[in-house]
Amino acid sequence: MSQPLYPWIGDQDEDSEKPSGTTFQEVLDRRTLLKGAAAAALVTGVAATGISAAETDSTEPNEAFFRSGIEFSPLKPTTSGTADFINVPENYNVSLVIRWGDPVVSGAPLFDGNNMTAASQAGQFGYNNDFVGYFALPDWKSQNSQLGILAVNFEYTNPELIFPGYSSSNPTKEQVDIEIAAHGMGFFEVQRMPDAWVNVVGPLGRRVTGETVCEITGPAAGDEWMKTTADTTGTRVRGTLNNCAGGKTPWGTVLTAEENFNQYFANRNSMADGPAKTAHARYGVTTGASGRKWERFHDRFDLAKEPNEPFRFGWIVEIDPYDPTFVPKKRTALGRAKNECATTILARDGRVVVYKGDDERFDYVYKFVTSGKFNPDNRAANMSLLDSGTLYAAKLNDDGTGEWIPLIFGQGPLTTANGWRNQAHVLINTRAAGDALGATKMDRPEDVEANPVTGKVYGLFTNNSNRGVGTNPGTDPANPRPNNRSGHIIEFVEAGGDNAALRFSWNMFMLCGMPSDPSTDFAGFPKDQVSPIGAPDQCVFDNAGNLWIGTDGMDSAIGFQDALYACPTEGPERGFLRMFATVPVGAETCGPEFTPDNSTVFIAIQHPGEGGVRGGQVVSRWPDGLDYPKPSIIAIHKAFGTSPTIGSR
Ligand code: FEO
Ligand code: CA
Ligand code: CA
Ligand code: CA
């Protein structure tokens, strides 16, 4: 049980939790289209919401009337390596929803850690869960917070924690095939019980893996760089890999972001010098053998045999959770990057805006604006919206202004004279296009997400200790710290409050770290009251517009285990960051995701026990008490009289 660190935080005034919209309701109606009816969205729960609307003529929120409704007592930070369990504030409960190896597809075998096969893994919950999306049942317009589908990314594998006696220099084909099957996504029904959430193995259960055939759509489909021996059309690809974070569309599909795909490919040096080889270098495809050695067993990972295969990864992939037969679509119009995420919001006119971060030191923030408009009355009509539109890269000027620079073939430097072939080429080599256009080189863009209440956009820049080192760019106002181990968060305000705008202003919302560190800042909130934070990575908003932040690597930044935080973005508590949950030793705090009514928050516990070796040094036994850990999804909700912690302690 945690001890309150800040006992002066009392309960909120209950009256402040009653929403009463007037003109502000117009803003809410637009902003909460993603979540369905605005009125249904404003209920109390984990984030005990409470926006009081103003009697005002303004069509924008009046910040004096924002109430965060955050009611928990913040946790004390957990010193690195000391806690192999989940910690949450008093009066909250934790349930373990699903673990690596649990059946997802009906008929899949129970997990047997000593007799794994690729076939069994392909029906079970995969490894290193990251993004979590909750899709209410029975259909995409539902606000049901008791029964839904969880869509979960499986980013990568830790073979040293999966296989006892694993040899990185000599993996077996069987091990590699199990790992390929442990990648991708899982879809499964979850149901709220009185004191827990449970995985219901039902007809909507589905696994997408590194072998699942995906369709390539949009402007780059069929391009010469997309063709391989196995796919001479350049339109179909085996598998989706390194699915990190993602997003949800207004029509109830999931967007899964292929991130560090480069690690699966080998032997760039086998290629002749030329534009394709240069493009692979810009994305970090290695010159010789890969660390994973998959190329020994599967030609498609070997550039000596299939030099174009990496071009078919690094995309945003759209999948319909409500249709287990849906063929995943790699949407090339959104550009190719080490995509952290793909989060959506509607523009004023109903076009769909997608925000993305390219997670690399000195890479870029992007947004994509569809050509067509969202149709709330015809779901099928929205299913190809992401195939046409404009991709932009962010330029953050030193004076706090900014602009979205379009990546359009034939415009600016993206011309034939400069070696660009067509729009497909621009999209496949998005990073080089961003370089040519002078986009702002950021400190590792992670989640970038619009606040559904205000429309303001928050970019999480997790860390960069290389700024100013050697020939690397030095500091600038948007990346102001030279040894930025703890990261920062920038608030983007789109011109006119329209997410399709071509200009924006930006400000430094949070400079993370120990509050005692003079280089930190929390939107100006008194630092003696905020929780320490390092390496912000993924985020989500509750229905009151509070920003919930999950960290990855806080131990190396400031010596604490990773955690989930809540931070108001408006009103008198803006910047009042509070730690809500801590995760087991070695783990990263992924997800997070709320049910529509905010009564539950799901967290993906990724890479617990990182640094350990199965059959060797044990770092974590979470959650089963075995000599190896299991990445898992937990749900946090109000307690029903039982211990608010799970796992060994
Ligand atoms: Fe997979 Fe950028 O974190
Ligand atoms: Ca991440
Ligand atoms: Ca997110
Ligand atoms: Ca990360």
Side-chain angles (χ1 to χ4, degrees):
M1 191 83 62
S2 65
Q3 299 301 314
L5 181 61
Y6 309 109
W8 56 86
I9 299 169
D11 290 334
Q12 303 298 308
D13 175 4
E14 289 191 359
D15 286 343
S16 71
E17 296 181 3
K18 296 194 181 78
S20 59
T22 53
T23 54
F24 177 49
Q25 194 64 45
E26 294 171 10
V27 177
L28 282 180
D29 284 344
R30 183 166 65 87
R31 298 303 187 195
T32 55
L33 258 175
L34 281 177
K35 297 169 183 256
L42 291 170
V43 298
T44 59
V46 165
T49 62
I51 302 166
S52 296
E55 293 290 340
T56 167
D57 292 333
S58 170
T59 55
E60 287 302 311
N62 182 334
E63 83 166 33
F65 293 92
F66 277 92
R67 295 287 182 273
S68 75
I70 291 172
E71 60 179 12
F72 64 84
S73 299
L75 300 180
K76 280 183 181 169
T78 300
T79 301
S80 292
T82 63
D84 197 19
F85 52 85
I86 311 288
N87 201 9
V88 294
E90 286 191 70
N91 300 321
Y92 288 87
N93 204 355
V94 179
S95 49
L96 185 65
V97 182
I98 193 168
R99 303 161 290 189
W100 169 51
D102 286 351
V104 166
V105 176
S106 191
L110 295 174
F111 181 74
D112 180 345
N114 296 313
N115 292 288
M116 289 178 265
T117 66
S120 60
Q121 177 64 86
Q124 297 169 335
F125 194 72
Y127 207 80
N128 273 345
N129 36 220
D130 195 304
F131 177 80
V132 179
Y134 179 90
F135 294 86
L137 286 169
D139 59 42
W140 67 285
K141 287 194 171 180
S142 172
Q143 296 291 302
N144 190 345
S145 291
Q146 308 287 312
L147 182 68
I149 302 164
L150 285 191
V152 177
N153 281 355
F154 306 125
E155 184 176 5
Y156 67 101
T157 45
N158 287 105
E160 73 284 5
L161 284 170
I162 293 176
F163 308 112
Y166 176 78
S167 166
S168 60
S169 60
N170 202 23
T172 68
K173 181 173 188 297
E174 188 178 29
Q175 290 171 334
V176 167
D177 289 348
I178 290 167
E179 291 186 72
I180 293 172
H183 279 67
M185 288 197 77
F187 301 86
F188 50 99
E189 292 172 55
V190 288
Q191 185 168 7
R192 173 79 191 252
M193 301 310 223
D195 199 27
W197 280 86
V198 296
N199 163 30
V200 183
V201 181
L204 295 175
R206 182 184 189 185
R207 278 299 318 283
V208 168
T209 74
E211 293 285 359
T212 302
V213 172
C214 303
E215 185 183 344
I216 298 167
T217 74
D223 184 75
E224 61 186 71
W225 276 7
M226 300 296 265
K227 296 176 181 174
T228 64
T229 305
D231 173 28
T232 56
T233 68
T235 59
R236 292 178 82 77
V237 54
R238 271 169 79 180
T240 179
L241 291 171
N242 214 261
N243 307 75
C244 184
K248 301 192 290 187
T249 66
W251 51 97
T253 60
V254 67
L255 301 179
T256 177
E258 296 183 320
E259 196 189 33
N260 296 302
F261 65 89
N262 58 308
Q263 66 186 274
Y264 305 100
F265 297 95
N267 298 326
R268 170 163 56 91
N269 271 355
S270 68
M271 295 174 64
D273 288 346
K277 185 178 182 181
T278 301
H280 288 325
R282 179 64 179 84
Y283 285 80
V285 176
T286 194
T287 54
S290 74
R292 295 180 176 274
K293 314 282 190 299
W294 292 5
E295 69 274 13
R296 291 186 185 174
F297 309 106
H298 299 281
D299 288 353
R300 69 185 193 273
F301 299 114
D302 187 347
L303 274 67
K305 295 165 181 159
E306 294 296 344
N308 284 346
E309 193 70 41
F311 291 137
R312 292 140 62 85
F313 292 82
W315 300 105
I316 301 300
V317 188
E318 182 175 13
I319 305 177
D320 183 358
Y322 296 97
D323 176 7
T325 68
F326 185 89
V327 177
K329 307 280 192 290
K330 297 202 178 188
R331 301 292 192 192
T332 63
L334 278 67
R336 181 166 162 270
K338 292 185 180 177
N339 293 303
E340 166 71 20
C341 66
T343 63
T344 68
I345 192 167
L346 292 180
R348 278 256 159 83
D349 64 3
R351 286 180 292 162
V352 183
V353 181
V354 185
Y355 291 96
K356 305 197 317 171
D358 183 354
D359 183 2
E360 189 92 62
R361 297 179 182 108
F362 309 109
D363 258 292
Y364 309 127
V365 170
Y366 297 92
K367 84 171 176 184
F368 175 79
V369 182
T370 57
S371 301
K373 296 177 181 176
F374 171 61
N375 183 342
D377 303 317
N378 182 353
R379 187 173 189 239
N382 302 308
M383 285 294 190
S384 57
L385 273 178
L386 298 180
D387 282 337
S388 56
T390 305
L391 180 67
Y392 303 87
K395 185 168 191 293
L396 288 80
N397 300 318
D398 289 354
D399 64 357
T401 64
E403 53 209 282
W404 294 105
I405 315 171
L407 281 69
I408 299 175
F409 172 70
Q411 291 191 8
L414 307 180
T415 59
T416 308
N418 287 330
W420 295 93
R421 291 186 283 111
N422 51 28
Q423 184 64 19
H425 188 192
V426 169
L427 293 168
I428 295 170
N429 206 2
T430 296
R431 282 184 164 184
D435 297 341
L437 291 165
T440 300
K441 298 179 183 301
M442 305 300 295
D443 285 350
R444 288 189 60 194
E446 297 265 16
D447 218 347
V448 182
E449 196 153 342
N451 186 330
V453 175
T454 66
K456 295 179 184 176
V457 179
Y458 296 79
L460 279 55
F461 302 94
T462 192
N463 59 58
N464 183 356
S465 52
N466 284 354
R467 190 166 285 277
V469 175
T471 59
N472 290 326
T475 58
D476 58 30
N479 301 276
R481 295 190 289 187
N483 185 23
N484 186 12
R485 297 180 66 83
S486 288
H488 58 272
I489 300 174
I490 288 175
E491 181 180 71
F492 300 73
V493 183
E494 298 275 29
D498 185 358
N499 292 90
L502 300 181
R503 295 183 179 278
F504 59 88
S505 62
W506 64 269
N507 65 83
M508 190 60 66
F509 181 70
M510 191 179 297
L511 288 159
C512 303
M514 295 296 291
S516 57
D517 173 350
S519 79
T520 60
D521 182 70
F522 299 79
F525 198 83
K527 293 209 289 181
D528 60 346
Q529 297 181 47
V530 304
S531 299
I533 184 172
D537 193 323
Q538 31 269 329
C539 67
V540 71
F541 294 89
D542 63 29
N543 292 330
N546 299 307
L547 177 66
W548 291 66
I549 305 162
T551 64
D552 174 19
M554 184 153 61
D555 53 344
S556 53
I558 54 174
F560 298 128
Q561 289 182 206
D562 282 312
L564 180 68
Y565 301 78
C567 187
T569 58
E570 302 286 340
E573 293 181 293
R574 173 179 159 93
F576 187 4
L577 180 77
R578 279 159 279 186
M579 185 182 285
F580 177 71
T582 63
V583 298
V585 58
E588 164 184 2
T589 317
C590 292
E593 172 75 338
F594 286 98
T595 50
D597 67 359
N598 283 184
S599 62
T600 292
V601 62
F602 297 98
I603 302 177
I605 309 295
Q606 194 190 99
H607 57 74
E610 188 176 60
V613 175
R614 187 174 171 193
Q617 185 193 5
V618 178
V619 171
S620 170
R621 299 176 183 275
W622 189 87
D624 287 349
L626 303 171
D627 67 346
Y628 58 94
K630 291 180 179 175
S632 306
I633 305 293
I634 61 162
I636 303 177
H637 39 79
K638 285 292 181 69
F640 286 79
T642 58
S643 166
T645 62
I646 57 174
S648 56
R649 31 186 334 184

